[in-house]
Amino acid sequence: MEEERKMIHNEEEEEMEQETKIKKLPEETVRKLKSEVVIKDLVSVSKELIENSLDASSEKISINLEKQGLEGITIEDDGKGIRRGDYYSFGKINHTSKISSFLEIDLVQTYGFRGEGFSSVCNLAREVRVFTKTMEDQFVTLLSLDKKGEVISKSTLHQSNDTNIQSQGTKIIIKGVFETQPVRREYLKKNTSQQSKHLYDLIIEYCLIQPHIHFVLNDPPKPLFEKKPCKDTKVSSLKKIFLESASISEYLVE
């Protein structure tokens, strides 16, 4: 028995001396892997930003795509804006104002509540700029965020031609999504038409759910799509609005 114990002890020592192949992933790698679960494609990016605008009680949401979103995605709204006290936390992962504990899950009445969506967008983008203004602010504030969702620069814009924000609102500019994931980016390049169709379908869904909101989609070279506010949610009224919009067939894929 004693001899058997010595053999086991020796084997354990030998195993400990060998370098393990199972190692803890670097924090940056963990963030990227987690981000790609939340943000899978260009539509996912737009979805997260649109839902932020919806949660901010926006009445008008404009989506502008640069090269079908591969080069840039811009969302501008007339929502409540970001409070000054939230500048240094709204982009960080697991930071949210919607819940403070799991017990509040059943009370959630917003699209987002986990604090993962926007931080994941930041992590997968080359550049993130946020213009924002609340009713209490005199001027628009410009924030630049890094891949961790942390503010790396802040400036007050006394005058700006870069945004249409008036009394309140937020404009988010995302550049170079998936540039650090060449395989994913190449796949998206080959499927831009399908991505465009999925985004259009997504916006139509929001239009039907939130008929009172003014939606604008600019996805060159396709014509501008615009769905104006509608108080009457009857199918006939919604159909009329969509028929008055820019050529819907341009957004459809056979």
Side-chain angles (χ1 to χ4, degrees):
M1 179 69 75
E2 185 64 29
E3 189 172 338
E4 186 177 345
R5 287 177 181 172
K6 286 183 179 180
M7 287 178 63
I8 294 173
H9 179 71
N10 291 336
E11 287 176 359
E12 288 178 346
E13 286 185 338
E14 289 176 4
E15 290 167 357
M16 292 176 66
E17 288 175 357
Q18 293 179 8
E19 185 177 358
T20 179
K21 293 183 179 180
I22 302 176
K23 298 180 180 180
K24 183 179 180 181
L25 287 170
E27 184 180 344
E28 182 180 355
T29 302
V30 173
R31 283 202 311 273
K32 285 183 177 179
L33 291 172
K34 192 171 184 179
S35 296
E36 288 189 34
V37 172
V38 179
I39 305 298
K40 299 178 180 179
D41 50 28
L42 300 171
V43 179
S44 301
V45 176
S46 298
K47 180 178 183 293
E48 291 296 337
L49 300 180
I50 291 170
E51 291 185 350
N52 283 346
S53 295
L54 291 171
D55 286 342
S57 302
S58 303
E59 295 183 356
K60 181 177 181 180
I61 302 173
S62 299
I63 305 102
N64 187 72
L65 305 182
E66 186 178 346
K67 292 187 178 179
Q68 288 76 52
L70 280 169
E71 293 303 317
I73 299 174
T74 300
I75 307 276
E76 185 162 10
D77 66 48
D78 59 356
K80 296 176 181 178
I82 301 170
R83 297 171 55 254
R84 289 182 173 273
D86 295 330
Y87 284 175
Y88 295 94
S89 58
F90 79 97
K92 294 181 178 179
I93 192 167
N94 298 331
H95 282 61
T96 179
S97 61
K98 311 302 170 46
I99 61 172
S100 57
S101 73
F102 187 77
L103 297 176
E104 298 175 4
I105 289 291
D106 291 338
L107 304 176
V108 172
Q109 295 182 344
T110 55
Y111 287 95
F113 60 89
R114 294 180 302 169
E116 290 185 352
F118 187 62
S119 64
S120 295
V121 172
C122 291
N123 191 48
L124 295 171
R126 169 172 33 93
E127 177 185 344
V128 178
R129 287 186 293 156
V130 179
F131 300 80
T132 191
K133 181 178 182 293
T134 66
M135 291 290 283
E136 291 73 32
D137 297 330
Q138 186 176 0
F139 302 108
V140 173
T141 297
L142 169 59
L143 306 168
S144 293
L145 282 67
D146 64 13
K147 289 184 177 295
K148 294 181 181 180
E150 296 181 350
V151 175
I152 53 177
S153 70
K154 179 174 75 73
S155 57
T156 300
L157 307 181
H158 297 279
Q159 290 183 336
S160 175
N161 296 322
D162 296 326
T163 174
N164 295 316
I165 296 174
Q166 299 298 320
S167 58
Q168 64 178 20
T170 298
K171 178 179 181 179
I172 299 178
I173 300 176
I174 308 295
K175 295 283 190 179
V177 182
F178 296 113
E179 280 190 353
T180 56
Q181 285 78 32
V183 176
R184 178 69 58 85
R185 189 171 174 83
E186 189 60 31
Y187 169 80
L188 294 173
K189 279 184 179 180
K190 294 177 180 178
N191 292 274
T192 51
S193 295
Q194 196 66 32
Q195 286 285 296
S196 181
K197 168 64 168 56
H198 290 330
L199 176 58
Y200 174 78
D201 288 344
L202 178 69
I203 292 175
I204 290 296
E205 290 173 8
Y206 288 130
C207 289
L208 295 172
I209 296 170
Q210 307 277 7
H212 63 285
I213 295 178
H214 186 172
F215 281 96
V216 179
L217 171 61
N218 184 28
D219 182 14
K222 297 182 180 67
L224 186 76
F225 169 78
E226 182 171 13
K227 198 286 294 181
K228 295 182 179 179
C230 174
K231 293 181 180 180
D232 188 352
T233 58
K234 292 180 181 178
V235 173
S236 57
S237 298
L238 292 173
K239 184 185 292 185
K240 181 175 182 294
I241 288 176
F242 290 125
L243 288 175
E244 290 176 350
S245 301
S247 182
I248 290 178
S249 61
E250 293 287 340
Y251 287 87
L252 302 180
V253 177
E254 296 296 335

